[in-house]
Structure formats: structure tokens, C-alpha cells
């Protein structure tokens, strides 16, 4: 299974915000630069994270981004499911539909593997991802606002 670029970026942004103190509220552009992502992509991802309640974004002077308490405690599995959607790994019902779909065992095997993938991510939180040694790297990505 391969995550979309948007999910990868969302997780990197959340990890970056997890290491910054609450007094530091970087802009979307600053976070995008720190995680080596285009601003336009980061802005879309931040909006999605806001809708999930993972990130708070404040506009104007003194504004910026912050990881919410919910975001810190959020399961990596939950965030990934929300961002990726939980659908079939293969397109059995695409147009044209797969001729094996009526008696195929592949879809079941892939669904089992996908469930195991998410189950492995479920106990891990964003806060867990932002601990040492990753914390040091995240803090060194660019000077944080403070």
C-alpha cells in the first residue's frame, strides 16, 4: 500500500507542529518550507487537517498553525484512514469491471492486508512520531517562529 502525497504531507506537517511549542505558531508557508513541500499543496492539506480537528489555524497578526490536543493524541491509523479513505485496494468494480470479481480471492487478501496495515498504525500517535531522534531532525528543519 502506498499513501498519497497529500497524506504523507499531512503527517509531516502534523509532526512538525508537534515539536513546536504552543507559543510558536508558524505560518502555512513556513511549515511548507520546513517540510520541503509546495505552499499550495500544504495549504490544501492544512485545511483538511483543520476539518479533522487536528490543526488549528489562526489568521492575521499573531496567527499561525498549531497542533490541537486532539491532534497530538490522534492515532496515526485514524488520521491515515480519514485522509486516504477506506476503500478497496484494487478497482474490482472499475469500468470495465474485473472479470474475476465474482470468485476472486485477491480482493479479500488485499483487504486483510490493508486492515493489518491500519491496525499497526492505530496505537501510534502524532506525539509518538515526534519524539527523539525524529524530534531533533524536525526541530532542525528550519528556524521556528518564537
Amino acid at each position: 500500500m502506498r499513501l498519497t502525497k497529500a497524506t504523507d504531507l499531512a503527517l509531516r506537517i502534523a509532526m512538525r507542529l508537534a515539536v513546536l511549542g504552543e507559543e510558536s505558531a508558524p505560518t502555512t508557508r513556513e511549515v511548507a518550507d520546513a517540510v520541503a513541500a509546495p505552499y499550495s499543496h500544504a495549504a490544501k492539506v492544512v485545511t483538511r487537517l483543520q476539518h479533522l480537528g487536528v490543526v488549528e489555524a489562526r489568521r492575521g497578526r499573531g496567527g499561525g498553525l498549531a497542533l490541537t490536543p486532539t491532534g497530538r493524541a490522534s492515532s496515526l491509523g485514524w488520521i491515515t484512514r480519514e485522509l486516504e479513505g477506506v476503500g478497496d485496494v484494487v478497482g474490482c468494480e472499475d469500468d470495465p469491471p474485473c472479470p474475476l470479481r465474482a470468485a476472486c480471492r485477491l480482493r479479500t487478501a488485499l483487504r486483510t492486508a490493508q486492515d493489518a496495515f491500519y491496525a499497526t498504525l492505530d496505537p501510534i500517535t502524532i506525539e509518538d512520531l515526534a519524539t527523539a531522534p525524529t524530534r531533533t531532525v524536525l526541530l532542525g528543519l528550519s528556524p521556528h517562529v518564537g
Side-chain angles (χ1 to χ4, degrees):
M1 180 170 178
R2 183 177 176 100
L3 299 179
T4 62
K5 289 181 181 181
T7 298
D8 174 48
L9 179 56
L11 296 173
R12 288 189 284 147
I13 288 172
M15 289 169 62
R16 173 68 176 161
L17 294 175
V19 299
L20 300 177
E22 291 184 21
E23 68 282 349
S24 176
T27 65
T28 300
R29 186 167 306 280
E30 290 168 338
V31 172
D33 290 344
V35 299
Y39 169 76
S40 59
H41 294 186
K44 290 176 188 175
V45 166
V46 165
T47 298
R48 183 76 171 110
L49 290 172
Q50 277 183 274
H51 288 144
L52 293 174
V54 172
V55 169
E56 178 186 10
R58 295 178 303 270
R59 293 182 163 268
R61 188 178 184 109
L65 303 176
L67 197 63
T68 65
T70 298
R72 285 189 185 284
S74 289
S75 158
L76 182 56
W78 174 78
I79 293 173
T80 304
R81 278 185 196 90
E82 290 296 315
L83 295 172
E84 291 287 321
V86 180
D88 284 329
V89 176
V90 292
C92 301
E93 303 300 328
D94 289 349
D95 188 21
C98 176
L100 303 175
R101 73 187 182 282
C104 183
R105 299 169 95 185
L106 177 61
R107 183 186 343 195
T108 302
L110 292 174
R111 173 60 74 165
T112 300
Q114 183 181 41
D115 291 345
F117 173 79
Y118 285 123
T120 301
L121 300 178
D122 283 337
I124 304 167
T125 66
I126 293 298
E127 189 72 29
D128 294 336
L129 294 175
T131 59
T134 308
R135 179 178 179 76
T136 305
V137 175
L138 287 164
L139 286 170
L141 291 177
S142 69
H144 65 276
V145 180

